[in-house]
Each structure stands twice: as C-alpha cells, then as structure tokens.
Amino acid sequence: MELWDALAGLGTAAREAVLAERCLAASVEGDGTAVSLGLREAALLRSFAGAFGARLRCLDDCPACGSRVAAELSIPDLIAVQEAAPACSGRMDLDGWRISYRLPTGEDLKEAAEASDEETAEQILRSATIRQISHPDGEISASDLPDGVAEALAERIEREDPLAAAEVALSCPDCGETWRCGLDAAALFAARLDAWAKRTLWEVHHLAMRYGWREADILAMAPQRREAYLLMDVP
Ligand SMILES: [Zn+2]
C-alpha cells in the first residue's frame, strides 16, 4: 500500500522507474542502476511473483479482428531464460572488427529517452554500451560502425539479455491470427498493484463502516479473513 501511495500522481515513465528501482533495491546488492535491462525486468518479475503469485497474465488486442486475447506466463520460466544468459559484458569478433561491450542499463535507457529523435537515442545507447572497438584500418568511433556490424552487435546484446526486450507469442482463438507483443514487466506490475490497492481500499472502507475498525488493523489482517468478514450477513 505504501508503494501504491509512492506511485500516485506519477506519469507512466516515472511510475515504472520508481517501481523498477524499488524491486532492484529488494533483489540486488549495491547500485541497481548499473544492472542490465534484462536483470531489471527479472527483479520486477521476482517482486511481482512475491506479491501476486508466479503466473503473469498478458493482454493484447488481436491486430486482425480486435478481440481481446490473454496469455498466461510462468514467471519462474521467464527468469530462468534470463539467468541462463551470460553476465553483463562480452566481446564480438566480426569481419575484422573486434568490439568489447557491456549490456545496456536502466540508466542508459533514461539518457536515450531524453534524445530528440530515435536515431540519436540509438546512438546514445550504442556509445554507452561499446567499451572498445578495434579494426585493422585504425581507430573508429562507435557512431561510425557500419550498419551490418551495428545490427549484429544489437542482436548479440538482445540474445545475452533476453528479458530486456522479451516478447510473448499470442494467437487469437476467434480468427487464428498469430503475433508477438512486447512484455513490459513494470507496466504489468503497476497495473496489477493498482487493481489490488483499489480492491483492498474497498474492503477497508466496508469493514470500517461496518465494524468501526481502524485502517491499520484491517490492513494487518490476512486477506482471507477480510473476505470472510465481508461475506457475513449484516443483521
Ligand atoms: Zn483475431
């Protein structure tokens, strides 16, 4: 409930940043801002599972017929994919290029989000992640990488940090269309937290009206006990 209060009034981006920060603080030692985007998603999913259970429900509209389609995901399975990927840095050798890189972090993403256009944002992200480039022709900066090499590097980073840009495969039961939608753990967490907090406040309101109990005492009760009281007949 305290977390819900902290998120109130914030825009989408700020709300998700606060949520990610809290989840990282709970699961990572040291500075959470240096953690890769995939590990940040894993921390959000872990906290989500701790609060609401290990199943994640993902909703999207069918692009062909507009039907609402849901997919149920297992959070432990998603986290296992991330944990099986290498740590946080690596080296790529391609056509004479040798590039040392690290995986992008939440801090890099924040900087890139402030860029005026998409191309500049991509450049910022690339410069932040490349540590060193060597090529037989001499010194080359991150912004002068040929497109093919830059794409190969982006693909490599995506493979090594799978939850950073995770996608869910969906298929429509009404028309058979299949497509993929992005998995945004922070947005799903924020929506679920909001629904939970509103339901809990509704329970507090009704129990306080009926029995005159204090909010803190009602919140301290196990959810099933609150529900049992709410189901009792009022004389
Ligand atoms: Zn459809």
Side-chain angles (χ1 to χ4, degrees), residues 11-27:
T12 311
R15 197 175 57 215
E16 293 179 6
V18 169
L19 207 46
E21 210 172 281
R22 295 283 187 104
C23 296
L24 276 169
S27 72

Side-chain angles (χ1 to χ4, degrees), residues 92-115:
M92 183 180 85
D93 291 297
L94 183 72
D95 302 337
W97 294 87
R98 173 163 284 194
I99 301 170
S100 304
Y101 60 88
R102 64 164 176 76
L103 300 178
T105 64
E107 202 56 17
D108 299 333
L109 203 64
K110 212 161 98 189
E111 250 178 70
E114 284 161 12

Side-chain angles (χ1 to χ4, degrees), residues 136-149:
D137 291 348
E139 210 167 290
I140 305 243
S141 81
S143 55
D144 295 328
L145 269 189
D147 288 347
V149 179

Side-chain angles (χ1 to χ4, degrees), residues 17 20 24 28 31-41 82 87-89 101-113 121 124-131 157 161 164:
L24 276 169
V28 180
D31 183 9
T33 56
V35 158
S36 83
L37 294 175
L39 287 174
R40 193 175 83 152
E41 292 290 293
Q82 178 69 32
C88 58
S89 60
Y101 60 88
R102 64 164 176 76
L103 300 178
T105 64
E107 202 56 17
D108 299 333
L109 203 64
K110 212 161 98 189
E111 250 178 70
I124 291 173
L125 219 49
R126 193 181 305 156
S127 303
T129 52
I130 292 179
R131 285 180 162 154
I157 285 176
D161 205 23

Side-chain angles (χ1 to χ4, degrees), residues 61-69 171-179:
D61 294 331
C62 170
C65 74
S67 285
R68 198 81 169 134
V69 176
S171 75
C172 177
D174 294 337
C175 73
E177 176 79 1
T178 57
W179 74 101

Side-chain angles (χ1 to χ4, degrees), residues 7 25 43 56 62 69 82 84 92 120 161 163 191 204 215 217 226:
L7 301 180
L56 189 65
C62 170
V69 176
Q82 178 69 32
M92 183 180 85
T120 318
D161 205 23
L163 281 187
V204 169
E215 183 196 54
D217 294 336
R226 281 202 298 264

